[in-house]
Amino acid sequence: MDSPFAMFAQCISHIISLITPGNASKLSSTYPAFKSVVDSDSVWEKFLPSDYKKIISISSFSTSSLVTSLSKKKLYFHLCYNPILINNNTMSFALDHESGKKCYMVGARGLSITWGSSPQHWKWLSLPESRFHEVAELKLVWCFEIMARIETKILSSKTNYATYLVFKFVETREGFETRPIEFDVYFEGNDTHKMHSALLDPPANMPQLSLNRRDGWMEIGMGEFFNENGDDGAVICRVCESAPTPKCGIIIEGIELRPKNGR
């Protein structure tokens, strides 16, 4: 028979597993008496995605080094702040630190980029500030179009996702300050589209919709969608322009999907 303390610990562990990971972490630091229970593997295992071992196993990292060498709490926060590369290094996976829900970024090599294989139009290079091995720098195109396709079954269910184009400009650029770029996020096969447009590089006297990220890149919101149960097929995230104009001087790192406000 379990001791009264063991039964109490199991009860506390179950209660804690029902709150968010962010609140559990705060509880650990606020109430030291509960720290051993709050930080236990049995609690944090429930905060990790059910398929986290499978995801790590297809990454460029050693499964054993991550899964067996770290406590579940340390593994959780490692995945929050250290995205791992999957799908032959064309996609990254991370966790939202507050909710534990899945975040993905499709890197430039995983995107469909019009004229992306033409050296006259796009240049592929490595940058130390990128999580990916390669990013794409635009040399010159008249047709600017980028698309990501992500299966909803790999995303967290019952989750509002926001999508972002992650990029930066080189010193000499053209075509992004006067002509708006169109963004479209929709389920594949769905004829209902809610497109919107924005200037990526507006003049200083206009609203700046692109935001600086902590990792040295910029991002701009593309759109949102709700992932119910992951059975909606694929979601398409598309960047394009309504009228072809010459453009150059942008570097594309990828398209990111993450829970909106952690939900």
Side-chain angles (χ1 to χ4, degrees), residues 6 30 44 47 56 87 105 127 149 168 225-226 241 258:
T30 305
W44 288 89
F47 291 145
I56 293 174
N87 290 9
M105 186 190 296
L127 293 179
R149 181 182 184 276
K168 66 170 53 181
F225 66 95
F226 182 73
E241 56 185 342
R258 62 180 190 256

Side-chain angles (χ1 to χ4, degrees), residues 234-254:
V235 63
I236 306 298
C237 307
R238 183 168 172 259
V239 184
C240 60
E241 56 185 342
S242 57
T245 55
K247 287 180 170 57
C248 66
I250 192 173
I251 300 176
I252 303 297
E253 184 180 39

Side-chain angles (χ1 to χ4, degrees), residues 105 129-131 166 168 213-218 253:
M105 186 190 296
E129 62 268 31
S130 176
R131 68 184 65 178
V166 182
K168 66 170 53 181
R213 293 163 53 102
R214 295 179 182 177
D215 57 7
W217 293 83
M218 300 175 69
E253 184 180 39

Side-chain angles (χ1 to χ4, degrees), residues 8-19 46-47:
F8 174 74
Q10 290 174 7
C11 182
I12 294 297
S13 175
H14 175 70
I15 293 172
I16 293 170
S17 68
L18 299 178
I19 66 178
K46 295 177 182 177
F47 291 145

Side-chain angles (χ1 to χ4, degrees), residues 26-143:
K26 294 172 185 174
L27 188 62
S28 175
S29 58
T30 305
Y31 299 98
F34 292 157
K35 182 174 177 59
S36 62
V37 177
V38 177
D39 292 349
S40 67
D41 280 355
S42 61
V43 168
W44 288 89
E45 178 91 32
K46 295 177 182 177
F47 291 145
L48 290 164
S50 59
D51 57 349
Y52 76 93
K53 291 182 181 179
K54 179 181 178 181
I55 295 171
I56 293 174
S57 72
I58 61 172
S59 75
S60 56
F61 288 83
S62 166
T63 304
S64 59
S65 65
L66 272 181
V67 176
T68 64
S69 67
L70 297 177
S71 69
K72 295 301 184 286
K73 181 179 180 179
K74 288 183 177 179
L75 175 60
Y76 177 91
F77 284 106
H78 179 89
L79 293 174
C80 289
Y81 300 109
N82 300 276
I84 60 174
L85 299 183
I86 59 176
N87 290 9
N88 295 318
N89 300 322
T90 63
M91 182 181 286
S92 72
F93 166 79
L95 296 178
D96 177 78
H97 77 279
E98 188 64 33
S99 67
K101 294 189 175 184
K102 298 174 179 177
C103 307
Y104 288 94
M105 186 190 296
V106 182
R109 277 296 186 190
L111 300 172
S112 173
I113 301 178
T114 301
W115 298 108
S117 59
S118 170
Q120 293 177 303
H121 300 96
W122 290 87
K123 176 183 177 182
W124 292 89
L125 66 159
S126 297
L127 293 179
E129 62 268 31
S130 176
R131 68 184 65 178
F132 297 104
H133 297 167
E134 288 184 299
V135 294
E137 179 181 341
L138 176 58
K139 296 175 68 175
L140 179 65
V141 293
W142 284 73
C143 181

